[in-house]
């Protein structure tokens, strides 16, 4: 049997990024933290942490973190049932989600559920093509992802599609695309992209216009709200999810620059295969809202 005090020490060391900060969080000495990690490493016969700055988990360390997170979720559910009226024992549900979903349909889908059960939500925001890595490492119990194939020990449920529309202000279109949208014009016009992780714009230009990577100019703005604001301010053109784009198109604030060229991104809910009430109810809530909001 694994000692869960030792597993908790491992979890806190990784979360805090170091032994000293973990000791403060656990209210024990740094040497006590080190001893717990050492004992755990001797128990499994492998190194569990890479002593870098910040500290990182080895592949075996990540497996143990995932196991500990699963057990913690089940224990929190059991504690909530035993001590239903004790507010000092809240259930924390950790979910990874992409920024566009978070900015539009995700929180409305879960708000009533979390209020009703008095759960606490802990979100990790990342690109939708990377969120499943957070599930794999144990940093989340579920994730909204573009990855259809379920990870080992997980289930994958289809939610729907987010359709991305290529938009800009009328003034921007007049300046850069007065004669039409062509590959040469797209190479010169500044684009607004979310981050280097986000390959959606790259796929859009490659699939629809045959433009190779790094053959265009771009602003990188890793915030869904500020990304949209930059486009509205005329800094560039960009791909905006239909939930955000359509009201702005209807009001005239933005215009389509390539009406026949859209990108449809399928979204899935992946979660651990454990009998936890939280993951089941979260999926039902997400699915119900996604059916209305997504394509």
């Amino acid at each position: 049997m694994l000692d869960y005090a030792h597993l908790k020490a491992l979890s806190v060391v990784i979360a805090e990024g170091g032994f000293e900060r973990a000791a403060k969080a656990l209210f024990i000495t740094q040497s006590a933290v080190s001893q717990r990690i050492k004992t755990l490493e001797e128990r499994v016969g492998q190194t569990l942490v890479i002593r870098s700055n910040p500290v990182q988990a080895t592949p075996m360390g990540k497996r143990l973190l995932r196991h500990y997170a699963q057990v913690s979720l089940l224990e929190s559910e059991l504690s909530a049932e035993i001590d239903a009226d004790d507010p000092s024992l809240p259930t924390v549900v950790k979910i990874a989600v992409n920024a566009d979903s978070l900015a539009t349909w995700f929180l409305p889908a879960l708000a009533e559920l979390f209020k009703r059960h008095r759960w606490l939500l802990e979100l990790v925001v990342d690109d939708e093509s990377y969120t499943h890595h957070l599930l794999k490492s144990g940093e989340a119990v579920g994730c909204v992802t573009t990855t259809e194939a379920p990870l080992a020990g997980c289930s994958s449920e289809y939610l729907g599609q987010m359709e991305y529309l290529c938009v800009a202000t009328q003034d921007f279109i007049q300046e850069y695309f007065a004669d039409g949208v062509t590959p040469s014009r797209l190479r010169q016009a500044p684009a607004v992209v979310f981050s280097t992780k986000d390959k959606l714009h790259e796929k859009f230009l490659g699939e629809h216009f045959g433009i190779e990577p790094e053959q265009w100019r771009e602003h990188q703005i890793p915030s869904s709200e500020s990304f949209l604001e930059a486009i509205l301010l005329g800094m560039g053109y960009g791909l905006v999810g239909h939930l955000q784009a359509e009201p702005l198109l209807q009001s005239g604030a933005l215009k389509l620059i390539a009406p026949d060229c859209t990108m449809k991104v399928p979204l899935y809910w992946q979660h651990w295969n454990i009998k936890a009430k939280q993951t089941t109810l979260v999926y039902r809530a997400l699915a119900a809202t996604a059916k209305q909001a997504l394509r």
Side-chain angles (χ1 to χ4, degrees):
M1 288 289 293
L2 295 171
D3 189 314
Y4 284 91
H6 296 166
L7 286 173
K8 182 177 181 179
L10 174 64
S11 176
V12 175
V13 165
I14 299 303
E16 296 292 332
F19 286 80
E20 183 178 352
R21 290 191 291 274
K24 293 179 180 178
L26 292 169
F27 301 102
I28 58 177
T29 65
Q30 186 173 337
S31 61
V33 175
S34 298
Q35 184 58 48
R36 290 183 184 184
I37 300 300
K38 181 181 178 181
T39 302
L40 192 57
E41 288 178 328
E42 291 174 349
R43 172 69 179 80
V44 300
Q46 293 188 41
T47 301
L48 300 176
V49 298
I50 300 171
R51 287 162 173 78
S52 55
N53 189 19
V55 170
Q56 298 179 24
T58 65
M60 176 54 73
K62 291 178 180 179
R63 288 182 64 184
L64 290 183
L65 287 173
R66 180 177 173 180
H67 171 73
Y68 177 68
Q70 291 175 339
V71 172
S72 296
L73 179 64
L74 291 172
E75 285 190 346
S76 68
E77 181 179 342
L78 179 60
S79 297
E81 291 175 356
I82 295 174
D83 301 286
D85 298 323
D86 187 351
S88 68
L89 299 170
T91 295
V92 179
V93 183
K94 299 181 181 180
I95 299 174
V97 64
N98 60 308
D100 288 342
S101 291
L102 180 59
T104 52
W105 64 275
F106 184 82
L107 284 180
L110 297 183
E112 289 302 319
L113 175 66
F114 276 74
K115 287 191 294 184
R116 183 167 65 252
H117 290 279
R118 298 184 180 181
W119 296 340
L120 299 180
L121 177 62
E122 185 174 327
L123 286 180
V124 183
V125 183
D126 207 334
D127 185 79
E128 60 267 22
S129 60
Y130 285 82
T131 50
H132 65 286
H133 293 295
L134 300 169
L135 179 64
K136 185 177 181 180
S137 67
E139 295 176 65
V141 301
C143 68
V144 176
T145 177
T146 57
T147 302
E148 178 181 8
L151 298 172
C154 296
S155 294
S156 179
E157 314 286 353
Y158 179 67
L159 293 171
Q161 293 183 338
M162 182 77 81
E163 185 174 16
Y164 287 85
L165 312 176
C166 192
V167 296
T169 62
Q170 181 62 51
D171 289 344
F172 186 90
I173 293 172
Q174 187 62 36
E175 180 176 356
Y176 288 97
F177 303 116
D179 299 328
V181 179
T182 64
S184 61
R185 293 289 186 182
L186 287 166
R187 290 188 180 94
Q188 294 300 315
V192 182
V193 302
F194 191 78
S195 70
T196 55
K197 284 184 177 180
D198 184 9
K199 300 301 182 183
L200 185 66
H201 198 91
E202 179 180 311
K203 292 179 181 178
F204 171 77
L205 292 181
E207 290 180 12
H208 292 295
F209 298 96
I211 299 177
E212 296 294 326
E214 300 181 4
Q215 290 186 352
W216 65 85
R217 303 173 181 180
E218 65 182 31
H219 304 287
Q220 292 185 15
I221 304 181
S223 161
S224 187
E225 292 79 6
S226 298
F227 171 94
L228 182 57
E229 184 180 10
I231 297 174
L232 287 166
L233 291 171
M235 293 176 63
Y237 74 98
L239 294 167
V240 177
H242 68 273
L243 293 172
Q244 291 176 302
E246 286 174 348
L248 296 168
L249 291 170
Q250 291 170 7
S251 70
L254 293 177
K255 302 289 185 181
L256 289 170
I257 70 168
D260 297 327
C261 303
T262 67
M263 298 295 288
K264 294 182 179 178
V265 177
L267 297 177
Y268 301 86
W269 167 249
Q270 289 211 27
H271 60 91
W272 295 334
N273 282 332
I274 57 174
K275 294 181 179 180
K277 176 175 65 177
Q278 292 92 336
T279 54
T280 300
L281 295 182
V282 165
Y283 167 61
R284 290 177 183 172
L286 291 178
T289 300
K291 186 177 181 180
Q292 303 298 322
L294 300 181
R295 298 300 196 206

